[in-house]
Amino acid sequence: MHITLKATGNNAGMISHLLAKNPYNTYDRTEKGARVRMVYTVFTEEEAEIVIQASPDSIDLVKNSPDSYDITQYINDREFVTSSLFCTYIRGALGTALNGKPKEDYAAWVTHPFALELSFGPVASDLPDAVVEGLFAPLGYQVTIERGKADYSFQLKNRSTVRYVTLSGHQTVQYALRQLLLLIPVLDNYKHYYISEEEFDKLKRYGEGWLQEHPLRELIIRRTLHFTNLIEQFEQSDSAATQTEKHAVQEQNHNHEQDQQQAVTGGRKATACNAAK
């Protein structure tokens, strides 16, 4: 399971500061029982490519499982596919970029759109290719989907559900990573943890600035929260927050108009007084 992040063009090397990872050192840590590694395969001022890879412990994945008596629990794709599990493993390593909090000298680059190419996989998804493309294309990406080749000696299935996805487009590093960490679990539609209201915060933080206007917003929310009661709660809280924001903007605009009117009125009075003198 991996993500490859590649930036090209002038100042592409700045992504190392946004990721807070030294391009000449390999990042190698254990996160939540998985080995997470990040390595720059290319690094110049005009091109930078970093591979983020996670290797979970296959035994640890099934430890303390209620189905420990069943050997089929060891036969699954969790160890290999890019999923919500993978996103959990790498989130800590990407904290600086996700939060947009690099060193002060590089803070201006947080909002800089780079020419990015993001590739990840394998992804096991029940969504058709058209929907996969529909998740990313509205965000400004050109989407390429490839399927791994399989040569079976028997008829298993005509087409594999496992795919490799490549995205190309101009985007900030922060938005690109937030979009991936929110949408990869949507593709996989699998959650390895208890889904609660804590997911609301993830939707709001990672979806800020793009989710509200996304044409597949309902699908994203449904496959993130799964349960009807949570979906309804989120929609209610999101609607309330939107109304509050609208009222705040309206009040701000109203106050601005009043200030302008007072300034104009004050200017007229001053002109009248000067004329009277």
Side-chain angles (χ1 to χ4, degrees):
M1 52 178 76
H2 77 279
I3 292 174
T4 300
L5 170 64
K6 181 179 179 180
T8 55
N10 294 333
N11 300 303
M14 282 294 172
I15 68 168
S16 65
H17 299 292
L18 299 178
L19 294 168
K21 300 294 180 291
N22 190 324
Y24 304 108
N25 294 333
T26 298
Y27 177 93
D28 194 335
R29 302 284 191 279
T30 299
E31 302 280 353
K32 302 181 185 300
R35 186 180 182 184
V36 177
R37 284 170 285 188
M38 299 172 64
V39 59
Y40 288 83
T41 53
V42 178
F43 186 76
T44 67
E45 284 305 309
E46 289 75 35
E47 183 177 357
E49 181 179 80
I50 185 169
V51 178
I52 308 164
Q53 189 248 355
S55 303
D57 184 335
S58 57
I59 302 299
D60 191 62
L61 285 175
V62 296
K63 192 179 294 182
N64 301 320
S65 169
D67 300 323
S68 57
Y69 63 89
D70 187 358
I71 194 172
T72 58
Q73 66 174 320
Y74 293 93
I75 308 171
N76 63 68
D77 59 12
R78 295 301 97 193
E79 186 180 352
F80 311 104
V81 296
T82 304
S83 64
S84 66
L85 196 61
F86 171 71
C87 293
T88 299
Y89 292 149
I90 68 172
R91 188 174 292 118
L94 298 174
T96 300
L98 289 169
N99 295 324
K101 301 291 184 182
K103 290 183 179 179
E104 188 175 349
D105 293 345
Y106 308 104
W109 292 95
V110 172
T111 56
H112 177 77
F114 293 88
L116 297 180
E117 181 178 284
L118 305 133
S119 57
F120 57 92
V123 175
S125 179
D126 60 342
L127 295 175
D129 288 354
V131 177
V132 175
E133 183 175 357
L135 286 169
F136 294 101
L139 303 175
Y141 297 111
Q142 180 180 343
V143 185
T144 303
I145 301 172
E146 298 179 352
R147 294 174 183 267
K149 295 181 180 180
D151 185 16
Y152 298 110
S153 59
F154 53 90
Q155 183 63 37
L156 182 63
K157 58 175 65 174
N158 293 326
R159 300 187 71 192
S160 173
T161 59
V162 176
R163 279 154 280 183
Y164 294 85
V165 181
T166 300
L167 312 174
S168 304
H170 283 77
Q171 186 58 276
T172 68
V173 171
Q174 182 186 38
Y175 265 37
L177 292 175
R178 284 184 171 188
Q179 288 162 355
L180 285 185
L181 292 196
L182 192 57
L183 294 179
I184 285 175
V186 170
L187 294 177
D188 184 61
N189 202 30
Y190 167 84
K191 289 292 176 66
H192 61 283
Y193 53 85
Y194 178 72
I195 302 173
S196 67
E197 293 180 13
E198 293 181 4
E199 293 293 280
F200 294 2
D201 181 56
K202 186 189 301 181
L203 276 169
K204 291 176 180 178
R205 283 191 298 118
Y206 290 175
E208 183 182 2
W210 61 272
L211 180 58
Q212 191 66 33
E213 304 301 324
H214 198 290
L216 296 182
R217 176 182 176 275
E218 292 184 6
L219 173 70
I220 294 169
I221 292 173
R222 185 172 71 249
R223 288 173 71 99
T224 298
L225 299 178
H226 287 261
F227 303 110
T228 302
N229 62 320
L230 288 179
I231 294 171
E232 291 176 349
Q233 289 179 43
F234 175 77
E235 293 289 11
Q236 290 171 1
S237 64
D238 192 47
S239 177
T242 301
Q243 290 298 324
T244 301
E245 185 177 343
K246 285 182 178 179
H247 288 318
V249 171
Q250 289 173 353
E251 184 175 354
Q252 184 178 6
N253 292 337
H254 178 67
N255 292 337
H256 181 63
E257 290 175 358
Q258 284 186 327
D259 291 340
Q260 287 182 322
Q261 290 176 355
Q262 289 176 358
V264 171
T265 303
R268 289 173 179 171
K269 287 181 179 180
T271 301
C273 288
N274 291 333
K277 291 178 180 179

